[in-house]
Amino acid sequence: MASTASAGESGWLVFASMTDLPPNHHAHYRQFSGVFGYLAGFTMIIGRGRDARLVAEIANMDASEHVLDIGCGPGTAARLAAGRGARVTGVDPAEPMLRIARLLTRLARPAGDIDWVRASAERLTLLDDSVTLCWSLASVHHWPDLTAGLSEVQRVLRPGGSFIALEKRTQPGATGNASHGWTPDQADAFAEMLTDQGFTSAEVSNHDLGRRRVVVVAGHTS
Ligand SMILES: C[S@@+](CC[C@H](N)C(=O)[O-])C[C@H]1O[C@@H](n2cnc3c(N)ncnc32)[C@H](O)[C@@H]1O
């Protein structure tokens, strides 16, 4: 088995073999900037509604929530939450994503308010204990520093809040587009990280949304 030991200064970029990549195995993927960022953002509008409905259902989301969507991209899940009356903050480090999100939101005019904020998971600009529910769809596999990102999630989440991460389910050894997501081992490793970092529990569940297969890790605080 090809083996590498890359000791990251922080976070979880430490792994034992090429078939045992960490949950943030795409941390060094190119940023969604410039023309590529806009093109990627527009492709992400398609087919993401089912992901958004699934996380809202798993989180048992209602109109009383303040939802934080980390790595919101063009904002499909954020708009779904706002359409159900929740207050929403959508965070993304990529300006093209936020521009597309704002444009689509002006057209959709959801019931609840959405604040769009340029920031990354590792450095959220929200106040302590300010959100009741946090989710991140198809984004955690890109975070450069999972330890810092999860500390921030815990800081901004009110006690009793949940953090839901959804990723496309991938096969070990997948390459290119097919590798953007989590294998079962990567999902399990991420759930273990949540409990190691102080979440009281974390569950992994698999879902088939038509031809799209996803894995969800749901962590809870008390
Ligand atoms: C594949 S897109 C998913 C977008 C959206 N959540 C969706 O499901 O359509 C991944 C998003 O994560 C964002 N991202 C990358 N690194 C991030 C980080 N460190 N913190 C927060 N978001 C990040 C990217 O800019 C991008 O918008």
Side-chain angles (χ1 to χ4, degrees):
M1 186 185 294
S3 186
T4 176
S6 160
E9 285 182 359
S10 57
W12 241 51
L13 270 173
V14 179
F15 49 93
S17 77
M18 295 309 286
T19 53
D20 187 22
L21 296 169
N24 58 338
H25 58 116
H26 275 189
H28 301 301
Y29 188 71
R30 62 196 288 200
Q31 291 296 306
F32 295 100
S33 58
V35 176
F36 169 74
Y38 287 99
L39 289 174
F42 279 112
T43 66
M44 284 173 209
I45 298 167
I46 304 156
R48 301 294 172 118
R50 284 176 302 186
D51 292 3
R53 286 192 290 278
L54 177 66
V55 288
E57 187 190 319
I58 289 173
N60 213 4
M61 193 213 86
D62 65 38
S64 68
E65 312 267 13
H66 179 187
V67 178
L68 170 62
D69 182 349
I70 304 181
C72 61
T76 306
R79 271 187 303 283
L80 175 121
R84 295 182 182 182
R87 183 182 157 206
V88 183
T89 303
V91 164
D92 203 287
E95 188 58 33
M97 295 292 178
L98 294 173
R99 286 199 179 167
I100 297 170
R102 285 192 189 97
L103 172 72
L104 294 176
T105 305
R106 272 199 295 277
L107 299 173
R109 301 163 69 94
D113 290 332
I114 310 181
D115 284 331
W116 302 107
V117 178
R118 190 166 181 194
S120 64
E122 295 80 6
R123 211 165 170 174
L124 297 170
T125 53
L126 289 92
L127 297 174
D128 295 0
D129 298 340
S130 57
V131 306
T132 55
L133 169 63
C134 176
W135 64 43
S136 188
L137 287 73
S139 176
V140 174
H141 71 283
H142 286 301
W143 297 3
D145 187 337
L146 292 182
T147 305
L150 288 178
S151 296
E152 280 293 82
V153 168
Q154 284 177 304
R155 182 182 67 74
V156 301
L157 252 188
R158 258 180 227 166
S162 299
F163 172 54
I164 319 280
L166 175 147
E167 294 284 349
K168 186 172 74 180
R169 215 154 77 221
T170 60
Q171 298 295 323
T175 56
N177 243 352
S179 68
H180 281 257
W182 282 341
T183 62
D185 283 350
Q186 286 163 340
D188 288 345
F190 188 68
E192 206 179 308
M193 280 200 81
L194 292 182
T195 48
D196 285 351
Q197 270 201 234
F199 282 79
T200 46
S201 62
E203 307 103 39
V204 179
S205 57
N206 292 292
H207 306 266
D208 292 350
L209 306 173
R211 288 171 58 196
R212 185 167 164 84
R213 295 174 172 193
V214 298
V215 58
V216 173
V217 178
H220 311 285
T221 63
S222 55

